[in-house]
Amino acid sequence: MWTKENIPDQTGKIAIVTGANTGIGYQTALALYQAGAHVIIASRSLENASEALNNMEATSGKGSLEKGLLNLASLKDIQKFADNFIKKHKKLDILINNAGVMTPPAAKTNDGFELQFGVNFLGHFALTAHLYSLLKQAPDARVVTLSSGAYKSAQQIDFDNLRSEKSYDAFREYAISKLADMQFTLELQRRVIQNGDRILSLAAHPGVTETSLSRHMPEEDFKAALKQFGELMPAWQGALSPLFAATSPLAKAGGYYGPDEENELRGFPGPAIINEIANDKEAANKLWQFAENATGINFFKTK
Ligand SMILES: NC(=O)c1ccc[n+]([C@@H]2O[C@H](COP(=O)([O-])OP(=O)(O)OC[C@H]3O[C@@H](n4cnc5c(N)ncnc54)[C@H](OP(=O)(O)O)[C@@H]3O)[C@@H](O)[C@H]2O)c1
């Protein structure tokens, strides 16, 4: 059983956790800080980031903390966050693409993309691209992207509906955003290797964990989900799979990790299932091209 106690000493490492003000992101950032890392609490609210930072500091971890303003629903704000980070730091050891939104009422990012696709995938694609040159400066950098068991409900990405041109189905779009996170993780690993770089790209999911992710779910849907999926894990336990991916020497390039029991719903970190659609290289390549066009970023040519 892999727990927080198995995290190797992180002294000297620099980590960014997106959406670290609450839920799984908070617990992930806290554990990295306690293990000695310098952790950037990236949040779309500096007030919430400050509160999280104070609460983490109160545990007297071995590491250090910093906060950063990051709104993943705006490509301009993502660039600003990355520029500030690059001004201050010379390398990045761990990037945890954790922030997420699930089944909100129909909405779009500042750049006109369906909100879940825009925040959960496209924003993290842009962030990773902007920070790639600093990831290359760390000896064994890792990028961990949070997916979800829900990705398996998505059959394909409808490229003609990523700005909700045709219709909006809250759960379908969530599943698509999480499939995109899987395809991105695997495609990034292939391209890193092609590029001759040493960065690990991994995905993780937290099974069913009690956080504020269900904030947009109607009460009756939440109750029905609880009936279907059973007891929710506490957030510290949900954070273990991303922590395993980010720190364990056992985690492998292009690996996907999640809870190891009850169809990946609960338990402790273990390998999770990567299905054929997630592994589809042609589809991932198409997604990559789309993302580069949509963000105006040439991934491997950013500064
Ligand atoms: N909980 C589960 O059972 C479960 C299952 C599968 C996958 N996941 C994944 O785990 C990750 C963490 O979710 P969680 O369960 O910890 O949910 P959560 O408690 O709702 O936390 C989500 C975090 O994402 C942030 N966020 C949302 N929109 C953002 C934006 N536009 N810009 C920047 N940050 C934004 C939130 O900020 P605010 O606090 O300001 O809203 C919050 O910090 C997500 O990727 C989620 O899809 C969770």
Coordinates of all heavy atoms in Angstrom, one line a residue, residues 13-21 25 29 32-33 37-43 49 53 56 64-70 81 85 88-89 91-92 94-96:
K13 N 13.2 20.5 -4.9 CA 12.3 20.5 -6.1 C 11.4 21.6 -6.1 O 10.9 22.1 -5.0 CB 11.6 19.2 -6.1 CG 12.5 18.0 -6.2 CD 11.8 16.8 -6.9 CE 12.9 15.8 -7.2 NZ 12.4 14.6 -7.9
I14 N 11.0 22.1 -7.3 CA 10.0 23.1 -7.4 C 8.8 22.5 -8.1 O 8.9 21.8 -9.2 CB 10.6 24.3 -8.3 CG1 11.8 24.9 -7.6 CG2 9.5 25.4 -8.5 CD1 12.5 26.0 -8.3
A15 N 7.6 22.7 -7.5 CA 6.4 22.1 -8.0 C 5.3 23.2 -8.2 O 5.1 24.0 -7.3 CB 5.9 21.0 -7.1
I16 N 4.5 23.1 -9.3 CA 3.3 23.9 -9.4 C 2.1 22.9 -9.3 O 2.1 21.9 -10.0 CB 3.3 24.6 -10.8 CG1 4.4 25.6 -10.9 CG2 1.9 25.2 -11.0 CD1 4.5 26.3 -12.3
V17 N 1.2 23.3 -8.5 CA -0.1 22.5 -8.5 C -1.2 23.5 -8.9 O -1.5 24.4 -8.2 CB -0.4 21.9 -7.1 CG1 -1.6 21.0 -7.2 CG2 0.8 21.0 -6.6
T18 N -1.9 23.2 -10.0 CA -3.0 24.0 -10.4 C -4.3 23.7 -9.5 O -4.4 22.5 -9.2 CB -3.3 24.0 -11.9 OG1 -3.9 22.7 -12.2 CG2 -2.1 24.2 -12.7
G19 N -5.1 24.7 -9.2 CA -6.3 24.4 -8.4 C -5.9 23.9 -7.0 O -6.5 23.0 -6.5
A20 N -4.8 24.5 -6.4 CA -4.3 23.9 -5.2 C -4.9 24.6 -3.9 O -4.5 24.3 -2.8 CB -2.7 24.1 -5.1
N21 N -5.9 25.4 -4.2 CA -6.6 26.1 -3.0 C -7.6 25.2 -2.3 O -8.0 25.5 -1.2 CB -7.2 27.4 -3.5 CG -8.3 27.2 -4.6 OD1 -7.9 26.9 -5.7 ND2 -9.5 27.2 -4.2
G25 N -6.1 19.1 -5.2 CA -5.0 20.0 -5.4 C -4.4 20.4 -4.1 O -3.1 20.5 -4.0
A29 N -0.6 19.5 -3.0 CA 0.4 20.6 -2.7 C 0.9 20.4 -1.3 O 2.1 20.6 -1.0 CB -0.3 22.0 -2.9
L32 N 3.4 17.6 -1.0 CA 4.7 17.9 -1.6 C 5.5 18.9 -0.7 O 6.7 18.8 -0.5 CB 4.5 18.5 -3.0 CG 4.0 17.6 -4.1 CD1 3.6 18.3 -5.3 CD2 5.0 16.5 -4.4
Y33 N 4.8 19.9 -0.1 CA 5.4 20.9 0.8 C 6.0 20.1 2.0 O 7.1 20.4 2.5 CB 4.3 21.9 1.1 CG 4.6 22.7 2.4 CD1 5.7 23.6 2.5 CD2 3.7 22.6 3.5 CE1 5.9 24.3 3.6 CE2 3.9 23.4 4.6 CZ 5.0 24.2 4.7 OH 5.3 24.9 5.8
A37 N 9.4 20.1 -0.8 CA 9.4 20.9 -2.1 C 9.1 22.3 -1.9 O 8.4 22.7 -0.9 CB 8.4 20.2 -3.1
H38 N 9.5 23.2 -2.9 CA 9.0 24.5 -2.9 C 7.7 24.4 -3.8 O 7.8 24.1 -5.0 CB 10.0 25.5 -3.5 CG 9.5 26.9 -3.7 ND1 9.3 27.7 -2.6 CD2 9.1 27.5 -4.8 CE1 8.8 28.9 -3.1 NE2 8.6 28.8 -4.4
V39 N 6.6 24.7 -3.3 CA 5.3 24.5 -4.0 C 4.6 25.8 -4.3 O 4.4 26.7 -3.5 CB 4.3 23.6 -3.2 CG1 3.1 23.3 -4.0 CG2 5.0 22.3 -2.8
I40 N 4.2 26.0 -5.6 CA 3.4 27.1 -6.0 C 2.0 26.7 -6.0 O 1.5 25.8 -6.7 CB 3.9 27.6 -7.4 CG1 5.3 28.3 -7.3 CG2 2.9 28.7 -7.9 CD1 6.4 27.3 -7.5
I41 N 1.2 27.4 -5.2 CA -0.2 27.2 -5.1 C -0.9 28.1 -6.2 O -1.0 29.3 -6.0 CB -0.7 27.6 -3.7 CG1 0.0 26.8 -2.6 CG2 -2.3 27.5 -3.6 CD1 -0.3 27.3 -1.2
A42 N -1.2 27.4 -7.3 CA -1.8 28.2 -8.4 C -3.3 28.1 -8.3 O -3.9 27.1 -8.2 CB -1.3 27.6 -9.7
S43 N -3.9 29.3 -8.2 CA -5.3 29.4 -8.0 C -5.9 30.6 -8.8 O -5.2 31.6 -9.0 CB -5.6 29.6 -6.5 OG -7.0 29.9 -6.3
A49 N -5.9 31.3 -2.5 CA -4.5 30.8 -2.4 C -3.8 31.2 -1.1 O -3.1 30.3 -0.5 CB -3.7 31.3 -3.6
L53 N -2.4 28.7 1.6 CA -0.9 28.8 2.0 C -0.8 28.9 3.5 O 0.0 28.2 4.1 CB -0.3 30.0 1.3 CG 1.2 30.2 1.4 CD1 1.7 30.9 0.1 CD2 1.6 31.0 2.6
M56 N -1.5 25.5 5.1 CA -0.4 24.6 4.8 C 0.8 24.9 5.7 O 1.3 24.0 6.4 CB 0.0 24.6 3.4 CG -1.0 24.0 2.4 SD -0.4 23.9 0.7 CE -1.9 23.9 -0.2
S64 N 8.8 25.0 1.2 CA 8.4 26.4 1.2 C 7.2 26.5 0.2 O 6.9 25.7 -0.6 CB 9.5 27.3 0.8 OG 10.2 26.7 -0.3
L65 N 6.5 27.7 0.4 CA 5.3 27.9 -0.4 C 5.3 29.3 -1.1 O 5.8 30.2 -0.5 CB 4.1 27.8 0.5 CG 3.8 26.4 1.1 CD1 2.9 26.5 2.3 CD2 3.3 25.4 0.1
E66 N 4.5 29.3 -2.2 CA 4.4 30.6 -2.9 C 3.0 30.5 -3.5 O 2.5 29.4 -3.8 CB 5.5 30.6 -4.0 CG 5.6 31.8 -4.8 CD 6.6 31.6 -6.0 OE1 7.7 30.9 -5.8 OE2 6.4 32.1 -7.1
K67 N 2.4 31.6 -3.8 CA 1.1 31.6 -4.5 C 1.2 32.2 -5.8 O 2.1 33.1 -6.0 CB 0.0 32.2 -3.6 CG 0.2 33.6 -3.3 CD -0.6 34.1 -2.2 CE -0.2 35.5 -1.9 NZ -0.6 36.1 -0.6
G68 N 0.3 31.8 -6.7 CA 0.3 32.4 -8.1 C -1.1 32.5 -8.6 O -1.9 31.6 -8.3
L69 N -1.4 33.6 -9.3 CA -2.8 33.7 -9.8 C -2.8 33.1 -11.2 O -2.1 33.4 -12.1 CB -3.0 35.2 -10.0 CG -4.4 35.6 -10.4 CD1 -5.5 35.2 -9.4 CD2 -4.5 37.1 -10.6
L70 N -3.7 32.1 -11.3 CA -3.9 31.3 -12.6 C -5.3 31.1 -12.9 O -6.0 30.2 -12.2 CB -3.1 30.0 -12.5 CG -3.2 29.1 -13.7 CD1 -2.7 29.7 -14.9 CD2 -2.6 27.7 -13.4
F81 N 0.7 34.1 -16.0 CA 1.2 33.2 -14.9 C 2.6 32.6 -15.2 O 3.5 32.6 -14.4 CB 0.2 32.1 -14.6 CG 0.7 31.1 -13.6 CD1 0.5 31.3 -12.3 CD2 1.3 29.9 -14.1 CE1 1.0 30.3 -11.4 CE2 1.8 29.0 -13.2 CZ 1.7 29.2 -11.8
F85 N 6.3 33.2 -13.5 CA 7.0 32.0 -13.0 C 8.4 32.0 -13.6 O 9.4 31.8 -12.9 CB 6.3 30.7 -13.3 CG 7.0 29.5 -12.7 CD1 6.8 29.1 -11.4 CD2 7.9 28.8 -13.5 CE1 7.5 28.1 -10.8 CE2 8.6 27.7 -13.0 CZ 8.4 27.3 -11.6
K88 N 10.9 34.3 -12.1 CA 11.4 34.0 -10.8 C 12.2 32.8 -10.7 O 13.0 32.6 -9.7 CB 10.1 33.8 -9.9 CG 9.6 35.0 -9.2 CD 8.7 34.6 -8.1 CE 7.8 35.6 -7.6 NZ 6.7 35.1 -6.8
H89 N 11.9 31.8 -11.5 CA 12.5 30.5 -11.3 C 13.3 30.0 -12.6 O 13.0 30.4 -13.7 CB 11.4 29.4 -11.0 CG 10.7 29.7 -9.8 ND1 11.1 29.5 -8.5 CD2 9.4 30.3 -9.6 CE1 10.2 29.9 -7.6 NE2 9.2 30.4 -8.3
K91 N 14.0 26.6 -13.1 CA 13.6 25.2 -13.5 C 12.2 24.9 -12.9 O 11.8 25.6 -12.0 CB 14.6 24.2 -13.0 CG 14.7 24.2 -11.5 CD 15.3 22.9 -10.9 CE 15.1 22.9 -9.4 NZ 15.4 21.6 -8.8
L92 N 11.6 23.8 -13.4 CA 10.4 23.3 -12.8 C 10.5 21.8 -12.8 O 10.7 21.2 -13.8 CB 9.2 23.8 -13.7 CG 7.8 23.2 -13.3 CD1 7.4 23.6 -11.9 CD2 6.7 23.7 -14.3
I94 N 8.2 19.6 -11.1 CA 6.9 18.9 -11.1 C 5.8 19.9 -11.5 O 5.6 21.0 -10.9 CB 6.5 18.3 -9.7 CG1 7.6 17.3 -9.3 CG2 5.2 17.7 -9.7 CD1 7.5 16.9 -7.8
L95 N 5.0 19.5 -12.5 CA 3.8 20.3 -12.9 C 2.6 19.4 -12.7 O 2.5 18.4 -13.4 CB 3.9 20.8 -14.3 CG 2.6 21.5 -14.9 CD1 2.2 22.7 -14.1 CD2 2.8 21.8 -16.4
I96 N 1.7 19.8 -11.8 CA 0.5 19.0 -11.6 C -0.7 19.7 -12.2 O -1.1 20.7 -11.7 CB 0.2 18.6 -10.1 CG1 1.5 18.1 -9.5 CG2 -0.9 17.7 -10.0 CD1 1.5 16.8 -8.9

